[in-house]
Amino acid sequence: MALDEKTYGELREIAGRYPEARSGLLPMLHLVQSAEGRVTPEGIQACAEILEITPAEVSGVATFYTMYKRRPVGDYHVGVCTNTLCAVMGGDEIFSRLKEHLDVGNDETSEDGKITLEHIECNAACDYAPVVMVNWEFMDNQTPESAVALVDDLRAGKEVTSTRGPRLCTWREAERVLAGFPDGRVHEGPAAGGPSLVGLGIASERGWTAPAGSGSTGQPLAGSPAEVAHKTDTSQEAEAAAVEEEAPTSTTAAEKKEAQ
Amino acid sequence: MVDTLTPVLTANWGAERSWTLESYEQHGGYRALKKALTMAPDDIIAAVKDSGLRGRGGAGFPTGMKWSFIPQDNPKPKYLVVNADESEPGTCKDTPLMMASPHTLVEGVIISSFAIRANKAFIYVRGEILHVIRRVQNAVEEAYAAGHLGKDIHGSGFDLDIVVHAGAGAYICGEETALLEGLEGRRGQPRLRPPFPAVAGLYASPTVINNVESIASVPSIIDHGAEWFASMGTEKSKGYGIFSLSGHVTRPGQYEAPLGITLRQLLDLAGGMRKGPDGQPRQLKFWTPGGSSTPLLTAEHLDVPLDFESMGEVGTMLGTRALQLFDETTCVVRATLRWTEFYKHESCGKCTPCREGTWWLAQTLAALERGEGSESDLDLLLDQCDNILGRSFCALGDGATSPISSSIQFFRDEYLAHLTHGGCPFDPAASTAWADKATAGARA
Amino acid sequence: MTTTPDKTEVDLVTLTIDGVEVSVPAGTLVIRAAEQIGVQVPRFCDHPLLEPVGACRQCLVDVPDAGNGRGFPKPQASCTLPVAPGMVVSTQATSPVADKAQQGVMEFLLVNHPLDCPVCDKGGECPLQNQAMSNGRGESRFATSGSGGVKRTFPKPINLSPQVLLDRERCIVCQRCTRFADEIAGDPFIALVERGAQQQIGIAEDAPFLSYFSGNTIQICPVGALTSESYRFRSRPFDLVSTPSVAEHDACGSAIRVDHRRGKVMRRLAGDDPEVNEEWLTDKDRFAFTYASLEDRLTHPMVRDRVEDGGDGSLRPASWPEAFAVAARGLHAAGGVGVLTGGRLTAEDAYAYAKFARVSLGTHDIDFRARPHSAEEAEFLAAHVALTGPWDGGVTYADLESARTVVLVGLEPEDEAGAIFLRLRKSVRHGGTRVLALAPYTTRGLRKMHGTLVPTVPGQEPAVIADLLGRADHGIDAGAVVLVGERLAAVPGAFSAVADLVAKTGARLAWVPRRAGDRGAVEAGCLPTLLPGGRPVADAAARVDVATSWGVGSLPEGPGRDADAIVAALAAGELGGLVVAGVEPDDTTDPAATRAAIEAASFVVALGLRDTEVTRAADVVFPVAAAVEKAGTFLTWEGRPRPFEAVLPSPTSLPDLRVLAGISEELAALGQGAPLGFRTVADVRAEMSQLGPWDGARPTMTPVQPAASTEGQDGLALSTWKLMIDGGSMQDGDKHLAATARPAVARVNPATYAALGLVEGAAVTVTGDRGSVTMPVEVVDDMTDGTVWVPASSTGAGVFAGLASPGTRVTVKGAGA
């Protein structure tokens, strides 16, 4: 089945963003996935035609990058980080629980077509380990129980919100954003999660700053400690409370506020 | 005396809607741009050189020097490419930066492009961080609307367009020439050098490729001056940097501090290692100073300054300041095997030692972890590493040998214990985030 | 690696390799500098004609001094490292570090290799096998490490194309094949796919590796990963005898190596000739050789028991002496005899026909052009082509690389002259040459040469050529080369316009015919207007020159009849006899007329390889040797002699020249002419050399006016040429090659297509004065208005027999509409 005219037009639009059209291939393949649910031979052919390269060259690219899928992906791509740190922190256990719970193997889709499970490599959220990604949105500090609840909610069609991001969209909708077509969810979710702010909080508490500079205000960019204190993701409360209990000696005022 | 922590890049992360232009400008954002546009481009390059800023993506190459390699007499267009393909295991600094304050990066891109006379810049963000991509896309849009991007920026006569480019899952694209391949719509396999990107990079044109944090540091250098930046850090490792603590530490997260801070200092701020069931802090067993490609260190290295030189002296690298901390519940063989499987998975396949070597290393290690094989396999592993290190096409192969060589150096007995034990003597449940909390009944 | 002759000043760089000082041209890679001192650094991905990639890492050497006093801390890939003055290099011969690095890489390479040498086609000629023995460790530690190494496995070979198979397990992903396809052929239909240890060579779904040059990838594969359907499992390298030869399928003169066993050709490979085909070969030259060993091969002379002599009218086997005698008697009685030689002869055989016509038959009625031709063309060949060659400034392959502009007129190199196509592409890729093509549309070949189309409606070439003079932007000046194809002969005034163009611009000129024997036939005198050595028949001094050398009294004044005139004269009874070599009526200007002429001739002597309609119609048939069975010489389009010796001696077939000598002797006995005076190829070579080239005045050309424009006439102009792989009889028997042919399609522009009102996917029927062909249609955006293109010989009997006479117009309709 050939791609529709709208998709063709958008593929051409992507190619047009770059000084040389072929640069558009990665986002174009994201768009193919959004339209087709995977990288299809038709999608490969369309990219090849638009970029005036061979289907073999497109195939070479499509099979190199792990985000491109040749088998249909479910509504939700659930990626469990099993790189060393997350694995040690519990990612391995989460992954095996989900395999069992969904009755799938790695890179397989649940029978209802909702969830594709995959173990993934480090996703740059190590301070929130163990990390699960749903459609490449962060689900931080997971446990086997929270992960099972997460996939159950997704399968039940409940609205789920990223722990550090927006309400989850489908995998195909996410792929469209990766192709460079924003979905309007940019302002959802916090600026940062607790761990992202931990150093800043300590500095604010202790009055530590970078040296005064020669800039027009004489002060480096800074948010006020109060702002910092309000920015903590509420889902981290229990965690923060636990931290506070266990680390009384170094608990800062900022962190106490976080825990409230 | 400079403070222990020096929030600059992280300073506005706590601000209300910090990712918006409005918030960023309220906190002094785009002030540096206005100043930069009044400067001669060469003076900006000189300021960045004088600041001593070294690449924050791991290699530590002086940023200003990289810029000065761009041949300005070359008639081809110049390009700035931001490496936002943050994928080195343990590394998680650029991602929160772009999520919380994408304008810091965008402002840096504009100033840097102005300095190297690039009219087109690309931000290559790894595809697996969707919300970060939304935030960067939005920041670029806002910057256009505010006149910070586009034609004749603020009447300076300088034009700049930024394209936000989503990657698609390939660790190797963190290597700058592989990234260029990805950006040109090809398989992300590293290119032959020379020619270096400064001479023939993107579209065979002069190209600067910098890490997110490097570029994000530029506005503050321009705003406050090179001397201000250089007043932080050490003699040869100047300025501040984001240190990312993760693993078995009480308060993992981002700590922005002058280079040269020690892990002991950071660990103290982070509440020490996590506590065991007995309520006592667990022991730091091993750690990476800058991601999994930097050879492991142990508790004996707690006081080594985290700067380029000192890390080199103890046989490792500062890398991305991705401090992954593991306590005594962690099996170093399991950790090493997992990293090795990562390198095997991410090896691009171009060169023999990396492609075939990681395939073999993973098998040998997996056997050892199962308690199979023999002691001579340890020497074989080291010899394989010797045949990969410096023999591969790019540094990915080198990185793959780091955890193996260093873990055998520090924990040879633990490998042997697997053989005598007939398998892994560790309980993986003990090292999970919830292990001790479960014991303490604190699991939510 | 072609050396440019006029480049004499070369900067030399002196370095030390393994303690030996060596000076090499600047820019030389260390791996090749080492060869200069006799050190072979092992390598796989490196290939001198491909861009360096540094992928396999097998060629690591130690560089203690990069020439700046500092060494590299780690071993360096010598295939990507250029030499530097004062550089010090230690290879595996002197450096334990380099040796260990190489052994380490070799060990890695074998980790996932199946080590199935005993059943591998490459075994015995395999760089991996050989270098594993010379530069690897005897035992792999992989098998005994850990709990025993497990190799990556793949299902057994997959077809990249109907001809090329890939065994992924054996592949070491050196990328030679993909780099060849991309860099050299411009056909990146194979590519690296997947990643890491799973990385492999692949094609896209439903997009096989259909390249005219695909076989080269098999030859340069350093392991047994790529094999051909036609050769795999057929023989072992050490059972083969290799004989150098020259390819016979086009006028490129590509060097080949013929590998044979017990009198049978098993495969052909590209020879290495930097001056001509470098190391590349077309798939036709490589795979099309079965024609010489098909069942229909003639094995013995035959004579017809003529009804008028009391026989039953059939051909019967005869002895050589009888056949010579019968042929001579028949020709003697036939009255006038014409000679049609075709374009596939060696120069020696062509010379024998030229001499036989003049000495034994007393005629200049001889023509090698078994295709549309003209008197204008004959004049052009005499004035601008004969006697030119590399020795006196004639255009060469190397000149194609140094020319600023190359203009193609009536020539599609990718189909008709593969080695020219590859050389032009190489030059374009290196930024040297700009290609202009006078053609009706941008062909795939032109696109791959990044060429510029000068849109030319078939038949309008003279006007378009004339217009080039006013176009400074086309850059046609003394630095340009004009390559004209034989197809121009069908366009009156085209050769005249080309002659005018080169005269006015100073551009250099070369004629590129399609067949291997065409250029040699010009030089050997197989034209009604030319004697051997380019001597004009019309020049009395030239005739005397030849007659004296041949020891005959005189030669007729001439000129003789060309091929069309011979056909007409046979039909009209003006000629009675015909001597015909490898001519296929369907190739000729008027296939029906040619058949009728053979039928009308009172006596036909046919010399041929195989049983054909011509031999079946002949009165005496002589089997002749195929190129592989005899010595000979082809002249390239440049005029460069490409001599070769016999690969397979075949006692049952003689070269044409020996047959003609036999007939001439019998004719002489009947009092007609004189014996030719030679019996072997060596004799002919000596005689040709003694006769030498004409040193008198070169004939000039009388310009021919172009035909009136056909604009506004009914129908469409027909553009056509033969695809490289098509229905040609010398491709018979090679089914895997045939399966890689490009499909036959008719091409029209969008306007013509729209006017057809077709339903999508419908075929079209093209109709001309000789019939109709139906084939799928393809829309080409830049096809000139009012033009349709069809392949000349991919369907049925071909265009001239089944569609239209040359230069006439055709109509196109939806098939079945």
Side-chain angles (χ1 to χ4, degrees):
Chain A
M1 208 184 80
L3 277 72
D4 61 29
E5 269 313 306
K6 174 175 173 274
T7 308
Y8 261 99
E10 287 175 342
L11 288 172
R12 287 197 192 90
E13 180 188 332
I14 294 169
R17 290 176 196 153
Y18 298 87
E20 292 185 11
R22 183 165 176 172
S23 281
L25 184 52
L26 265 53
M28 285 164 78
L29 287 169
H30 281 306
L31 189 70
V32 165
Q33 297 207 117
S34 175
E36 303 264 286
R38 64 184 177 110
V39 174
T40 54
E42 294 76 18
I44 286 176
Q45 184 64 40
C47 292
E49 272 170 33
I50 290 168
L51 302 177
E52 295 180 343
I53 58 178
T54 66
E57 290 172 298
V58 178
S59 260
V61 172
T63 57
F64 184 85
Y65 297 93
T66 50
M67 290 176 78
Y68 299 133
K69 303 298 180 191
R70 279 161 274 178
R71 282 177 297 167
V73 173
D75 293 340
Y76 299 95
H77 176 270
V78 174
V80 181
C81 178
T82 57
N83 199 297
T84 300
L85 189 118
C86 276
V88 164
M89 301 289 285
D92 279 355
E93 195 177 325
I94 293 171
F95 185 62
S96 66
R97 276 287 282 282
L98 286 182
K99 278 199 293 193
E100 192 182 309
H101 184 70
L102 296 167
D103 193 23
V104 295
N106 182 42
D107 206 15
E108 289 177 6
T109 301
S110 59
E111 226 165 56
D112 58 7
K114 297 276 188 198
I115 309 278
T116 299
L117 182 68
E118 187 181 11
H119 67 75
I120 60 171
E121 298 298 356
C122 182
N123 220 90
C126 316
D127 43 348
Y128 298 89
V131 173
V132 170
M133 305 298 292
V134 178
N135 297 342
W136 308 115
E137 307 275 17
F138 292 110
M139 301 302 294
D140 298 326
N141 299 109
Q142 293 297 300
T143 64
E145 291 74 26
S146 70
V148 165
L150 169 66
V151 296
D152 283 347
D153 286 351
L154 292 172
R155 296 171 93 182
K158 289 187 189 161
E159 184 169 280
V160 176
T161 301
S162 158
T163 58
R164 202 157 32 113
R167 293 163 296 131
L168 297 183
C169 55
T170 66
W171 179 78
R172 288 169 68 158
E173 287 165 346
E175 283 291 317
R176 189 173 165 78
V177 177
L178 295 177
F181 298 99
D183 62 357
R185 297 186 187 212
V186 60
H187 298 301
E188 297 184 21
S196 302
L197 298 171
V198 62
L200 179 62
I202 293 169
S204 303
E205 171 65 19
R206 302 193 185 179
W208 288 341
T209 64
S214 60
S216 30
T217 65
Q219 288 296 320
L221 293 168
S224 71
E227 279 178 328
V228 174
H230 282 114
K231 286 322 296 172
T232 308
D233 189 313
T234 48
S235 73
Q236 301 297 308
E237 279 183 15
E239 183 77 4
V243 167
E244 187 185 10
E245 270 174 30
E246 291 164 26
T249 51
S250 60
T251 305
T252 65
E255 283 169 325
K256 279 179 182 162
K257 275 190 176 178
E258 278 175 38
Q260 286 162 5
Chain B
M1 187 63 196
V2 175
D3 291 340
T4 310
L5 294 179
T6 52
V8 177
L9 299 176
T10 56
N12 64 327
W13 291 8
E16 187 70 28
R17 288 166 68 90
S18 65
W19 63 88
T20 60
L21 180 71
E22 188 187 3
S23 168
Y24 183 66
E25 290 192 333
Q26 273 171 10
H27 291 89
Y30 288 104
R31 197 169 61 203
L33 172 62
K34 301 239 161 65
K35 180 177 174 186
L37 291 175
T38 66
M39 295 168 69
D42 282 341
D43 292 345
I44 299 174
I45 296 179
V48 172
K49 259 189 188 171
D50 292 347
S51 74
L53 173 64
R54 293 170 65 174
R56 297 299 193 233
F61 192 85
T63 304
M65 198 185 293
K66 207 176 206 181
W67 293 6
S68 67
F69 289 155
I70 293 290
Q72 290 298 338
D73 54 355
N74 187 319
K76 289 187 170 179
K78 282 73 182 173
Y79 294 108
L80 176 71
V81 176
V82 176
N83 185 344
D85 192 56
E86 183 167 64
S87 306
E88 170 74 17
T91 309
C92 49
K93 62 192 181 63
D94 299 337
T95 294
L97 188 155
M98 292 184 285
M99 176 101 93
S101 188
H103 280 287
T104 311
L105 174 62
V106 171
E107 185 180 11
V109 169
I110 304 169
I111 296 171
S112 306
S113 298
F114 179 70
I116 64 163
R117 286 78 137 179
N119 300 112
K120 189 113 191 171
F122 299 87
I123 303 176
Y124 186 113
V125 193
R126 66 180 297 188
E128 302 98 323
I129 44 178
L130 182 60
H131 205 46
V132 168
I133 289 170
R134 283 196 192 91
R135 293 266 164 92
V136 178
Q137 285 171 341
N138 181 67
V140 168
E141 261 178 55
E142 285 184 327
Y144 270 107
H148 299 319
L149 283 173
K151 296 276 174 211
D152 188 20
I153 296 168
H154 300 308
S156 64
F158 173 61
D159 304 337
L160 179 67
D161 287 308
I162 295 180
V163 175
V164 181
H165 181 96
Y171 165 68
I172 187 60
C173 286
E175 197 281 340
E176 62 179 15
T177 61
L179 183 148
L180 291 179
E181 289 289 296
L183 189 49
E184 289 188 4
R186 299 170 197 281
R187 295 163 62 79
Q189 298 193 316
R191 294 179 182 173
L192 209 55
R193 280 176 295 198
F196 289 92
V199 176
L202 187 66
Y203 313 132
S205 299
T207 304
V208 163
I209 305 151
N210 281 137
N211 169 257
V212 168
E213 193 184 352
S214 309
I215 292 292
S217 298
V218 169
S220 68
I221 292 171
I222 296 306
D223 195 17
H224 305 298
E227 281 174 33
W228 165 82
F229 186 84
S231 72
M232 291 171 267
T234 68
E235 174 67 27
K236 290 182 175 168
S237 299
K238 295 188 194 303
Y240 54 80
I242 301 174
F243 292 80
S244 310
L245 270 66
S246 61
H248 295 138
V249 57
T250 304
R251 275 189 299 278
Q254 309 302 321
Y255 298 79
E256 193 174 8
L259 302 191
I261 193 171
T262 64
L263 179 59
R264 188 181 301 280
Q265 286 173 285
L266 286 166
L267 198 50
D268 182 47
L269 295 172
M273 294 299 284
R274 67 170 182 169
K275 291 188 173 55
D278 57 359
Q280 293 303 306
R282 288 195 177 275
Q283 296 302 305
L284 172 61
K285 181 174 175 183
F286 61 94
W287 55 290
T288 66
S292 59
S293 300
T294 58
L296 301 176
L297 296 176
T298 64
E300 67 183 273
H301 303 102
L302 272 169
D303 294 313
V304 182
L306 293 164
D307 61 45
F308 293 108
E309 292 67 35
S310 306
M311 286 294 107
E313 280 163 23
V314 293
T316 184
M317 291 168 283
L318 182 61
T320 52
R321 286 153 279 120
L323 302 146
Q324 303 174 90
L325 307 160
F326 297 90
D327 68 21
E328 76 275 14
T329 63
T330 314
C331 170
V332 77
V333 180
R334 176 186 175 207
T336 303
L337 169 61
R338 195 57 62 90
W339 277 319
T340 304
E341 284 171 340
F342 163 76
Y343 290 107
K344 179 182 99 172
H345 181 251
E346 298 297 339
S347 170
C348 81
K350 179 169 185 163
C351 78
T352 308
C354 175
R355 180 185 67 237
E356 308 294 340
T358 54
W359 173 273
W360 186 4
L361 288 171
Q363 286 195 27
T364 313
L365 276 166
L368 285 172
E369 203 219 1
R370 292 192 304 268
E372 297 163 11
S374 65
E375 186 172 356
S376 66
D377 285 331
L378 292 183
D379 298 322
L380 175 61
L381 280 172
L382 292 175
D383 191 53
Q384 288 171 248
C385 289
D386 184 55
N387 288 341
I388 296 170
L389 182 69
R391 275 69 172 160
S392 302
F393 190 91
C394 79
L396 192 151
D398 296 351
T401 68
S402 291
I404 298 172
S405 309
S406 57
S407 64
I408 294 178
Q409 178 191 344
F410 295 121
F411 301 101
R412 192 178 183 98
D413 287 347
E414 193 167 314
Y415 278 88
L416 296 179
H418 282 70
L419 293 176
T420 52
H421 188 262
C424 183
F426 289 82
D427 172 16
S431 61
T432 61
W434 49 81
D436 295 332
K437 279 174 216 140
T439 322
R443 195 163 173 180
Chain C
M1 291 289 99
T2 301
T3 48
T4 314
D6 56 349
K7 199 184 268 179
T8 47
E9 289 294 309
V10 180
D11 291 334
L12 290 181
V13 167
T14 301
L15 70 160
T16 305
I17 302 176
D18 292 334
V20 179
E21 212 173 75
V22 59
S23 295
V24 294
T28 302
L29 297 167
V30 167
I31 195 169
R32 270 178 263 300
E35 290 168 2
Q36 300 300 310
I37 63 155
V39 172
Q40 165 91 0
V41 181
R43 80 284 305 263
F44 295 106
C45 67
D46 173 73
H47 189 286
L49 295 177
L50 300 175
E51 283 168 22
V53 60
C56 78
R57 317 305 287 172
Q58 187 58 56
C59 66
L60 295 170
V61 294
D62 196 23
V63 184
D65 185 344
N68 55 7
R70 287 177 302 153
F72 285 100
K74 297 288 178 187
Q76 295 296 300
S78 57
C79 71
T80 58
L81 184 68
V83 295
M87 181 182 264
V88 178
V89 175
S90 304
T91 73
Q92 75 278 5
T94 56
S95 160
V97 171
D99 189 47
K100 177 172 190 295
Q102 291 176 7
Q103 299 219 15
V105 172
M106 183 66 74
E107 188 177 36
F108 286 141
L109 276 174
L110 298 179
V111 159
N112 275 317
H113 186 81
L115 301 174
D116 60 345
C117 310
V119 297
C120 176
D121 278 320
K122 201 81 172 185
E125 59 176 7
C126 175
L128 179 61
Q129 191 181 36
N130 294 345
Q131 294 181 124
M133 304 306 283
S134 61
N135 300 82
R137 58 172 74 234
E139 298 281 322
S140 167
R141 296 176 295 179
F142 179 63
T144 54
S145 62
S147 47
V150 178
K151 288 180 192 282
R152 143 178 78 40
T153 57
F154 288 113
K156 271 297 169 181
I158 53 172
N159 271 94
L160 296 179
S161 77
Q163 180 69 280
V164 183
L165 290 108
L166 168 66
D167 183 323
R168 290 168 292 176
E169 290 180 356
R170 292 178 187 153
C171 177
I172 56 166
V173 285
C174 69
Q175 306 181 46
R176 278 188 182 184
C177 58
T178 50
R179 284 147 69 213
F180 170 85
D182 183 28
E183 296 171 18
I184 307 297
D187 295 328
F189 307 128
I190 49 172
L192 289 177
V193 297
E194 306 292 340
R195 191 170 83 184
Q198 294 298 323
Q199 183 179 250
Q200 52 193 272
I201 305 302
I203 52 176
E205 217 172 289
D206 303 325
F209 180 34
L210 296 181
S211 167
Y212 285 161
F213 309 97
S214 67
N216 292 291
T217 61
I218 299 168
Q219 187 170 349
I220 61 176
C221 179
V223 299
L226 294 174
T227 52
S228 70
E229 282 282 12
S230 57
Y231 173 72
R232 65 197 306 258
F233 306 147
R234 300 289 198 285
S235 59
R236 311 303 315 235
F238 32 83
D239 290 337
L240 296 173
V241 177
S242 297
T243 307
S245 190
V246 176
E248 75 281 41
H249 289 292
D250 60 23
C252 290
S254 294
I256 58 172
R257 189 184 108 189
V258 182
D259 283 359
H260 49 100
R261 186 184 62 182
R262 295 194 290 276
K264 191 171 176 216
V265 176
M266 303 307 295
R267 65 173 175 183
R268 309 208 309 190
L269 302 173
D272 180 1
D273 191 335
E275 299 284 304
V276 179
N277 54 311
E278 301 194 300
E279 298 179 35
W280 314 127
L281 201 60
T282 66
D283 280 4
K284 184 153 78 172
D285 281 342
R286 182 181 303 272
F287 295 120
F289 56 82
T290 312
Y291 71 90
S293 51
L294 292 176
E295 287 291 305
D296 63 0
R297 188 72 197 275
L298 301 174
T299 55
H300 46 265
M302 291 184 291
V303 300
R304 190 173 300 282
D305 284 332
R306 290 155 54 114
V307 180
E308 48 268 49
D309 300 334
D312 63 357
S314 65
L315 283 169
R316 64 162 170 83
S319 70
W320 288 96
E322 184 193 8
F324 288 144
V326 172
R329 281 201 301 275
L331 291 173
H332 184 61
V337 178
V339 181
L340 298 176
T341 69
R344 292 166 178 155
L345 301 176
T346 64
E348 293 86 346
D349 284 336
Y351 176 86
Y353 281 95
K355 186 173 182 183
F356 181 78
R358 274 79 182 206
V359 170
S360 297
L361 302 174
T363 181
H364 297 297
D365 292 350
I366 178 169
D367 202 340
F368 71 92
R369 297 171 297 175
R371 53 168 173 80
H373 55 274
S374 67
E376 181 188 8
E377 182 195 25
E379 288 200 11
F380 175 82
L381 294 175
H384 294 285
V385 175
L387 297 180
T388 62
W391 61 86
D392 70 346
V395 177
T396 63
Y397 283 102
D399 292 335
L400 299 181
E401 278 189 62
S402 57
R404 285 193 290 277
T405 304
V406 173
V407 187
L408 307 173
V409 192
L411 176 67
E412 177 58 29
E414 198 193 11
D415 283 316
E416 302 179 293
I420 291 181
F421 168 75
L422 292 184
R423 194 62 77 100
L424 283 175
R425 197 179 130 75
K426 176 188 180 191
S427 176
V428 168
R429 261 179 62 83
H430 294 158
T433 300
R434 208 169 62 101
V435 175
L436 282 185
L438 274 64
Y441 71 100
T442 303
T443 61
R444 182 167 126 191
L446 185 59
R447 235 183 351 262
K448 290 195 285 182
M449 295 185 288
H450 306 294
T452 305
L453 177 73
V454 183
T456 307
V457 176
Q460 300 304 303
E461 286 84 354
V464 178
I465 294 165
D467 284 348
L468 290 175
L469 283 168
R471 294 285 299 274
D473 55 324
H474 285 334
I476 301 174
D477 55 22
V481 166
V482 180
L483 297 181
V484 294
E486 64 181 33
R487 287 188 267 126
L488 276 192
V491 183
F495 280 119
S496 301
V498 167
D500 186 54
L501 176 72
V502 299
K504 288 179 174 156
T505 58
R508 297 160 69 204
L509 173 65
W511 176 68
V512 184
R514 284 194 64 258
R515 290 195 166 151
D518 283 337
R519 181 60 199 272
V522 172
E523 305 296 338
C526 291
L527 275 172
T529 51
L530 280 183
L531 294 165
R535 290 172 175 80
V537 166
D539 189 319
R543 294 199 302 276
V544 169
D545 192 21
V546 174
T548 307
S549 174
W550 284 348
V552 295
S554 67
L555 298 182
E557 278 197 21
R561 295 178 174 91
D562 69 11
D564 287 349
I566 290 169
V567 164
L570 285 165
E574 293 163 20
L575 289 178
L578 176 65
V579 175
V580 59
V583 173
E584 288 170 54
D586 284 339
D587 289 336
T588 61
T589 314
D590 188 343
T594 303
R595 287 191 177 90
I598 294 168
E599 190 61 34
S602 62
F603 193 79
V604 177
V605 176
L607 289 76
L609 282 183
R610 294 159 61 191
D611 179 45
T612 66
E613 57 172 317
V614 174
T615 61
R616 284 192 291 274
D619 297 291
V620 182
V621 178
F622 291 100
V624 291
V628 72
E629 297 152 355
K630 64 186 173 189
T633 303
F634 290 130
L635 265 61
T636 67
W637 58 274
E638 314 156 273
R640 181 195 306 267
R642 304 289 280 162
F644 54 89
E645 296 307 310
V647 174
L648 304 174
S650 168
T652 58
S653 58
L654 302 176
D656 299 52
L657 63 90
R658 175 65 187 87
V659 174
L660 295 171
I663 303 173
S664 80
E665 286 158 22
E666 292 295 331
L667 276 169
L670 295 171
Q672 179 174 337
L676 292 181
F678 50 68
R679 286 194 164 190
T680 65
V681 173
D683 293 344
V684 173
R685 285 176 175 171
E687 190 175 314
M688 291 172 80
S689 153
Q690 194 179 4
L691 178 59
W694 173 236
D695 54 5
R698 179 179 282 278
T700 55
M701 220 183 143
T702 312
V704 171
Q705 287 306 306
S709 169
T710 54
E711 219 169 319
Q713 291 182 8
D714 287 346
L716 302 171
L718 175 64
S719 170
T720 184
W721 60 79
K722 290 183 176 179
L723 300 180
M724 177 187 287
I725 299 168
D726 64 6
S729 64
M730 286 166 78
Q731 299 163 60
D732 288 349
D734 294 287
K735 63 177 179 183
H736 303 299
L737 175 68
T740 66
R742 294 183 188 171
V745 293
R747 300 197 166 104
V748 296
N749 72 12
T752 305
Y753 182 79
L756 290 171
L758 296 179
V759 291
E760 201 176 315
V764 292
T765 298
V766 184
T767 305
D769 62 350
R770 290 180 182 163
S772 295
V773 294
T774 296
M775 54 182 75
V777 64
E778 191 177 285
V779 178
V780 176
D781 285 340
D782 66 355
M783 178 73 74
T784 50
D785 279 337
T787 307
V788 58
W789 178 92
V790 297
S793 186
S794 297
T795 55
V799 160
F800 299 137
L803 179 58
S805 39
T808 62
R809 295 173 76 80
V810 297
T811 58
V812 181
K813 287 198 177 69

